[in-house]
Each structure stands twice: as structure tokens, then as C-alpha cells.
Amino acid sequence: MSSYLAARVAAAEGRSAAASGDYASALTGWPDDPAVAVRAYREAMISGDEALALRAARVMEAEQVAPIDVALLDLAIAARKRDRAAYDAALVRIDAGALRIVAPVLRAWAAWDRKQPVEAALDSAGKEPVARRLADEHRILLALAAKRMGSQSALVLLQAMSAPADTRIAAAQIMAGRGDEAQARALLSDPLVASDRRALGAKPDLGFGVSRLLARVAAELVGEGPRPLVIALTRTALIADPYNDRARLLMAEALSRDEAWDAAIAAVEGVAPRGAFAHRAAVVRVGLLASADRAGEALMLARGLATAKNATVDDWQIYGDQLIAAKRPGDAAIWYERVTRADPPVPWAAWLQYGGALDQAGQAEPADAALAKAVELGPDEPLALNYLGYARIERGETGAPSLGLLEKASKLAPDDASITDSLGWGYFRAGQAGRALPLVERAAMAEPANAEIADHLGDIYWALGRFYEARYSWRAAALTAEAPLAGRVAHKLTL
């Protein structure tokens, strides 16, 4: 009981390794308890405790409560070990369950491993659209693996069918593994992986094929699919091929959607530091560390990316974002300025961030120039119009040009409470309190927890002699305000 309770606590806190250890102890004490087995199995799939997962799977099967993905565990282990009898037995179970859409491709990889024809297995997908799509994609991968198709032909076919990223990555790995670096590079049009042949190349085997199929399905489900199934797919992909770092990234994404930050960080930490996915893993880890309230570590890692010899515009952007989060806008502006000098030229949003950082750092003139550039590049972008207009209003430029920017922003985004508030505040600063009030009231109703809007509303009420309502609004602002606004609101409440 003590181990079980400790496991529940550890699991709730995202400490999957500790939870797995405690569940293992609990399962030893209660070897026939299906409830313990189910929780132990799920936690083992997160932490990668293969032995515990197998123990729990056998208990669940005996009690007839095994989830649909348990057969994948046995199949993945068999694929890694090339245990053909165990593989076939697991495949029979998959064929009879809800995951049968992957069975045709799994049979095809088994046939390829045994040097048998693969077409009959792939054709068994029939007219079921998902199974047929997977079969068509793996038909090309299997032809590459068997050296029955050249890299250039595979490249053309994959591009013609608009193959998803995971299929293109798998094909590029096979191409690079046999020395076709140029075709591998041409196939990877996105920055998901490095296209260095030495880092990317792989020699396909049964585990490779099974792992890429399971990761491919996980990638489709990771956004909205059931999280336990996605984690099971990514874990079994790693069991089949422990070198499939793409599966580690997918697992981290699935765990992050449950805010299991520590487990997600542990997943990306397993990515090979010199592998093809190393840079992507570092970028993902920055975001996970920041989300886990480990801002110092996130900032240090982002700095390492930005200052590396092969740093990209995205690395500078990420470091600038972390500096903003650390409330160091002056330092962030230096890196955002680098982004604005990128070739090809960056869009309006980069200039908006640069100007915003300068504005927060108190550098009014260069901030105005950068924000004006953002408006020039995005003349119909309400965020750019609003920021420039509001910044000028705050500097006392309350004339028609500044109000015009805010009016245009509000027309383009009439339901954006912050923009509505900006326009109302602009009118108030221009001496039109009566015109400002309904706008800021509407914004406050839309976002009652927005401290800045509540503060503005209090100021307008006060100017109109509605002192009780002003204090009410300032009290509302005080509930969520942060420094330095909190100090200003506290002073107003003494009036």
C-alpha cells in the first residue's frame, strides 16, 4: 500500500522513473490486481521500464483488461530480437484488434526480413483508406530497403504523393545510409532534422521498419489522439529501434500536452547529442524547461544555441524570447535586431518583437522606428498598428496620426479586447473621456482578469467623477497586477 500511494504521488508529479519503481513494488505485493497492473503498465511505458511493462501486461491479459496496445509491446520486442515466432503471434493479436490498420505493413516488413515478396501483404490493406495510405508509403520504403528502387525514383514518388514528414525522414535515413546524400538532402525540405549523412543514415532492418511505422501513426495522433495510445506507440517504436530519436520527440510532445514536464524533458534528453535530431531536441528542451518553471536552465541552453558557430535565425529568436521572459528586454533587443537583418528579409512580426523589446527597455526613438517598420511591412496587421499607436499615445503623441493607427487596428480586430482598450485609452489621453468609456468598459467585460484594462477603466471613472466605480476597478486590477503596475494601483487606492 505504501509503494502504491508513493507511486500515485510520483506519477502525479511527473516523476515517472520513481513511479515505475514504486509500482513494481506494489505489483509484487498485489500480483493479481488489475488496477495496479494498468497503472504500472502506463507508467512503465512513460519511463521505459520494459520489464515492468511486460509484467503488468501479463497480469492485464490474465484479467482480460489489457488495452489494445499491449500486443504492440510484444511485437516490438520480437522485432528488435528478430524472434519470428513471437512476432507472428503478436501480429495475429493485432490483426484481431482495433490496431489492425497497421497489420498489412507489419506483415510486409516481416516478409522483407525473410526475403519474401511483400506485395501480397501490402495489397491486403484493401480499400481501408488509412491502411492503404500506410501501405503505399511503406511500399516505397521497402523498395528502398531491398535496393529495388533508386533514390531518385523514390524522391519523385514521395514528393508526388505529398508524403508526411515521418515517411520522408525514414526514406532519407535509408538513402543516406547507403551513401545517397544529395537525394536525402533534397527530401528533407523542413528543418526537423539535420541532413548530414553521417548523422542521419541508418541501415534498415525489421526493427527499423516497425519503429518507423509506429512513429508515423503516433505523429498523426499526437495533436488530438488519446495520450496513452500515443505514448504506447512512441515507446514501442523505441523498443523496436532504440535509435529512433524522432520517436523520442513525439513522446516528449505527447507528455507535454499533459503538462508532464519532467517526463517530457527526460524523453528529449535521450536524443543522441551528435545525431540528426540533436538540434531539434535542444530547441524543444528549451520550451519544456521554460514551461517547467526552470527558466534559468532554459535561458542557458538557449544562449548556447544562439552563440554556436552554426546558429540560425531561429536560434537567435529563441534566445531573444527567453531573455524577454527573464525580463531583460535590452539584451533581447540585441538578438531580435540580428533577426531583422536575416537574409531573406523577415516579415513584420520580427520587427514588431524588436520594437517591442526596445520599447520595454525604454529606448523610445529606436523602438518607434522599428515599430514603424513593422507597420510598413504589415499595414493591415492589427497587432503592429496597435503597438505603434499605443506606444505613441503613451509618449504623449495623442494627435490624429496615433489615434488613426488605433482606429484602424480596432476596425481590423473589433473583438480583440486589448486593442479595444488601446483605442479607448487613446481617446482618454486625447481628452475624450466620454468617448473612451464605453470602449474600455467593453474591453473589461471581455477580459475581467486583465489588470491593465481594469486600471485604465478606473482612471477613466475617476476623471468622470465616478469615484466609487473607479476604486472598484482598481481593486479588480490589484488582484492580478504585477510590478510595476501593482505599485501604481496600490497608490491610487489610497486616494
Side-chain angles (χ1 to χ4, degrees):
M1 177 65 76
S2 175
S3 295
Y4 178 74
L5 294 175
R8 293 290 301 273
V9 171
E13 294 176 350
R15 297 183 287 112
S16 59
S20 292
D22 286 321
Y23 275 130
S25 298
L27 195 59
T28 299
W30 294 326
D32 301 322
D33 191 315
V36 176
V38 169
R39 292 184 181 277
Y41 175 76
R42 289 302 176 201
E43 207 61 43
M45 296 302 274
I46 293 173
S47 67
D49 189 334
E50 186 176 314
L52 176 60
L54 282 170
R55 283 177 59 200
R58 300 293 84 91
V59 174
M60 292 187 295
E61 287 169 342
E63 299 295 328
Q64 298 183 342
V65 295
I68 61 173
D69 52 84
V70 165
L72 294 178
L73 174 63
D74 292 324
L75 180 130
I77 294 171
R80 187 187 69 219
K81 295 180 177 180
R82 294 191 70 188
D83 183 339
R84 292 174 175 175
Y87 187 95
D88 290 344
L91 189 50
V92 169
R93 292 157 58 199
I94 291 169
D95 245 332
L99 292 174
R100 57 185 172 274
I101 58 168
V102 300
V105 174
L106 292 174
R107 282 195 296 270
W109 276 102
W112 171 85
D113 182 60
R114 300 167 196 188
K115 296 181 170 45
Q116 298 171 355
V118 302
E119 295 304 322
L122 293 171
D123 291 343
S124 69
K127 296 183 179 180
E128 204 290 322
V130 176
R132 185 175 178 180
R133 172 70 181 189
L134 294 172
D136 289 342
E137 293 173 11
H138 279 259
R139 197 183 304 272
I140 298 172
L141 297 180
L142 284 157
L144 281 170
K147 298 183 180 179
R148 291 188 291 102
M149 180 182 291
S151 296
Q152 185 60 41
S153 298
L155 174 64
V156 171
L157 288 172
L158 289 166
Q159 290 176 335
M161 73 189 312
S162 300
D166 284 273
T167 302
R168 288 186 283 110
I169 290 168
Q173 288 175 320
I174 299 173
M175 293 175 184
R178 67 190 196 186
D180 295 337
E181 183 177 355
Q183 284 79 10
R185 288 180 181 275
L187 196 56
L188 297 176
S189 58
D190 52 58
L192 183 62
V193 298
S195 54
D196 183 335
R197 177 172 59 85
R198 290 168 297 178
L200 182 64
K203 184 178 180 180
D205 57 15
L206 180 58
F208 175 95
V210 170
S211 183
R212 270 59 188 181
L213 171 65
L214 299 180
R216 161 78 171 90
V217 177
E220 287 289 334
L221 298 175
V222 71
E224 299 178 359
R227 213 77 68 230
L229 177 58
V230 175
I231 291 170
L233 286 164
T234 52
R235 177 58 65 193
T236 49
L238 283 168
I239 290 171
D241 181 2
Y243 300 102
N244 187 354
D245 282 339
R246 167 63 175 155
R248 298 183 194 279
L249 291 173
L250 288 168
M251 177 172 284
E253 183 176 350
L255 291 167
S256 70
R257 291 178 181 274
D258 284 339
E259 298 186 0
W261 307 120
D262 290 346
I265 292 166
V268 295
E269 285 176 343
V271 172
R274 297 184 181 276
F277 291 87
H279 181 266
R280 179 62 181 170
V283 170
V284 170
R285 191 178 171 204
V286 169
L288 293 173
L289 288 167
S291 297
D293 294 327
R294 295 162 63 177
E297 295 172 73
L299 187 62
M300 288 179 62
L301 181 55
R303 183 180 186 280
L305 291 172
T307 56
K309 289 183 180 180
N310 57 347
T312 66
V313 173
D314 290 339
D315 296 326
W316 300 336
Q317 175 76 44
I318 290 167
Y319 186 38
D321 293 345
Q322 293 304 313
L323 287 166
I324 286 291
K327 302 189 185 304
R328 293 167 55 184
D331 293 331
I334 296 171
W335 293 93
Y336 286 151
E337 193 271 337
R338 287 194 184 191
V339 174
T340 64
R341 289 190 279 110
D343 185 22
V346 295
W348 64 274
W351 285 94
L352 177 63
Q353 280 196 304
Y354 176 43
L358 290 168
D359 181 57
Q360 292 177 51
Q363 302 179 44
E365 290 187 12
D368 189 87
L371 294 170
K373 181 69 174 179
V375 170
E376 177 188 333
L377 295 172
D380 294 321
E381 296 293 342
L383 291 179
L385 292 161
N386 180 68
Y387 204 131
L388 179 59
Y390 187 85
R392 288 178 174 176
I393 288 289
E394 286 291 272
R395 293 200 303 271
E397 299 176 25
T398 57
S402 299
L403 291 175
L405 291 167
L406 296 175
E407 288 167 344
K408 183 176 181 181
S410 183
K411 184 177 180 179
L412 290 166
D415 296 326
D416 188 309
S418 293
I419 291 177
T420 301
D421 170 67
S422 294
L423 178 57
W425 186 245
Y427 286 145
F428 175 69
R429 293 291 296 270
Q432 304 176 48
R435 192 177 183 186
L437 181 59
L439 290 169
V440 181
E441 283 181 327
R442 194 173 83 208
M445 289 180 65
E447 291 190 10
N450 189 310
E452 186 173 19
I453 294 176
D455 177 52
H456 287 169
L457 184 57
D459 287 2
I460 297 171
Y461 279 141
W462 188 269
L464 293 172
R466 297 165 63 172
F467 304 127
Y468 176 82
E469 291 162 292
R471 289 193 176 92
Y472 183 88
S473 292
W474 288 332
R475 288 192 189 98
L479 294 174
T480 57
E482 298 179 357
L485 177 59
R488 296 198 300 270
V489 171
H491 173 71
K492 293 174 186 179
L493 286 171
T494 65
L495 297 177

